[in-house]
Structure formats: C-alpha cells, structure tokens
Amino acid sequence: MLKAFKYRLYPTTAQAEKLDWQLARCCELYNCALQERKDAWNACKQHPNFYDPAWRKEHARDYRITYYDQANALPELKRDLRPEYCAIGSHVLQDVLRRVEKTFQAFFRRVSCGHEPGYPRYQSRTRYDSFCFPDRAGWKLKGNRLTLSNLGTIKVKLHREIEGSIKTCILKREGENWYVVLACEVEAVPRLPSTDEAVGIDLGLLHFATLSNADTIENPRYLRASEKKLAAKQQALSRKKRGSQRRKKAARQVGKCHRKVRNQRQDFLHKESRALVSCYETMIFEDLKPKNMSRRPKPRQDENGAFLPNGAAAKGGLNKSIQDAGWATFTRLVCAKAESAGHTTVVFVNPHKTSQLCSACKLEGPHKDLSERTHTCVHCGVVLDRDHNAALNILRLGLSLQAA
C-alpha cells in the first residue's frame, strides 16, 4: 500500500525564490498544455462537417492531442521557445503534462457518467501549489537534508520516521511555507482491534460523536474559537487598497489563520479516527450528506412577489457549524485507517428516522426539533439522550445489514 509522509522544509531566502520560480514555470506549462488542447478542439469544431455524427466519429481523433504528443514536443519547446525550462528536470515537466491528462480523463469520465462535468480550467499562481519528482532522479534525502537538482540542499524537519521505499517526492507550497510529501510503498501490517465489538456512532454538533455505549467525543469547534481573530484580520484586509503590498500582506495573515484552523481540525480528526479504529472491530455510521445538509434555504415569496423570512440567518449559523465539524473528512479517515488495519469494518446506514424511532420498543414517536435533546418514548416510557438513542438505532440497523 502507498502511504504519504509530509515534512516541513526550511529553505533559505534564495532557495525559496528558486522554488517559487520553478513552481511558476510548471504552472505556465500546465496552462499552455491546456490551451493547446483547447485550441485543437476549437479547430475541430470549426470544420464544416463537425455536426455530422459520421464525420465526427471518423475524423475527430485527427484533432486530438494526447499526453504523448505534448511530451514528445517538450525537447523542441525547451530548445526553441522556452530555454529556461532546461533548468527544470524533464521528468518534472512530464509530470505536469500528466496532470493535464488526468484532468481531461476525469472530465470525460464525468461526462460519460452523466455528472456535472466541469471543464478543466486554467490554474493561477495561487491555485497551482506543487510540483512532483515522479521517480528517484533529481533529488536525494540524506538525514535531515533534502538535495534537489539546481536548487541545492534544504533542511527538513523529520518529525517521524519514514517507512517503506520512497516512490515519489512532491514539493508543496502552503502560504509562505514549503513542505515535502514523500509517497512510500509500505507493507500492510494488519492490527487487531482491542475489542471485537460493534459500535454505532451518531455524528452531531452538541457532541461531535455519540457512541452506542453512551461514550461521547466532544466537539472542539475550532472555527468558532477563532472567529474573533479571523474577523479582525479580514476587516484589516478589507481596509487595504487593492493591488497594494499591504493588502497582499494582510491576505497572507488571513490565509495563515485559516490554515491554523484547518491544521487543528485535521489533527483532531486523525487522532479520534485512529482511536476508534484501534478500539472497535465494526463501526457503523449514518450515511450523511453534509454538502446537502449545509445548503442555504430557498427564498420564499408571497402572492405579490415580496420576499418573506425564510430563516436564512439561523440556517447560516447551522451551516457554519456543520462545515466546522468536518464529518465527511472524519468518516473518510476512519475508512482509510480501517482499510489499512485489515480487521476492521465500516458500515454506513440510512439515517432516515434514526432520531425518531425508539431504540427500546422500535416504535416511532412524535417529531423532534433539533432543540430537543432528550428522547422520551410515548409508548414504552424509556428516557435516553437523543444522540445515544440514535446511536443505538444506527447500531441495530448496521448489524441487520451485516446479517442480511
């Protein structure tokens, strides 16, 4: 299996400038390769027989540009038009062209599946943030020093040991900081969980997660905790003149604050997902759709066309809390860690009425608002925490799916 190890780099000022220069050249090549493919398709569309299905099926391939066409044109491009590309490894430039190929493959896959396709777009300097050494050429890691061709030796903070054999080396820029991501091929070592129990997990906002054994994981709310600091930095940004150096400096401060929140959330989700995978053999979640749950409410109008209150302000606060929790990332991390563990199973069940059904008598009670935090069954009289009752229902549904 492949496993990525990410480490902080500490380049000198001159090395950071060279890294930015090389990243800018890779971004330029990416956009040029995308433009070349776009121009070829536009030339095909301008043919008078383009809308003839028989002609298009037979001749459209004559206008197609593939990765191999662009890779074979690289030597001529470096010799005649872009001699500065000679300072960049050929395999790095080829990897940029592979990225373009992957974006088009993903585009055509979405088209064939009937999904919203989203045509590949140009990448700005702020969006294109990494370049890759796809093999062992052009770089060398010895101790806590990373040696790159044409860039020199850069200090690396090796905060944990590298496992397996290194396959690729990616240099990534996050704000003003640089990182190296090493993709390693490691042997999967199955790890037995501490118990062979199954657990139902109800994800929420009051508690981040409530387990069917009544244990809870508290919600840290990192974005909410940083709102005042973030608001102050965003207000400072809005006061700066557009295009000025002070505005760029303020924008970097805003980005740094957002990255702090993201890193805190990622650290929390990694630790809690590892704890669950290490403890339980079967974990059962609701199949939630946070993207749908955090949509804005539709506008409401009366018969005269005037807009009516639709609860958008309250829903906006709820949406922010849902996105701050990171449920989708959490379940994805649990699935990845469970797959690497080998002896752990993750099950997703339909969340329909898991909060309304009674876990004791299995009968449906009256509808509960989000403000009602206690489940009191009108049929059997059992009293439970709302999330604990839902976790028990999730556990029952998951076990029934496994038995089926």
Side-chain angles (χ1 to χ4, degrees), residues 85-86 111 136 175 188 206-207 226 228 234 247 249 297 312 372:
Y85 284 2
C86 295
V111 170
R136 296 305 300 264
L206 179 63
H207 305 291
S226 301
K228 289 185 179 180
Q234 289 173 328
R247 183 178 178 87
K249 184 178 179 180
E372 299 181 45

Side-chain angles (χ1 to χ4, degrees), residues 208 265 269 321-331:
F208 177 77
R265 185 185 298 117
L269 297 178
S321 297
I322 291 173
Q323 293 168 351
D324 187 18
W327 295 335
T329 304
F330 179 67
T331 54

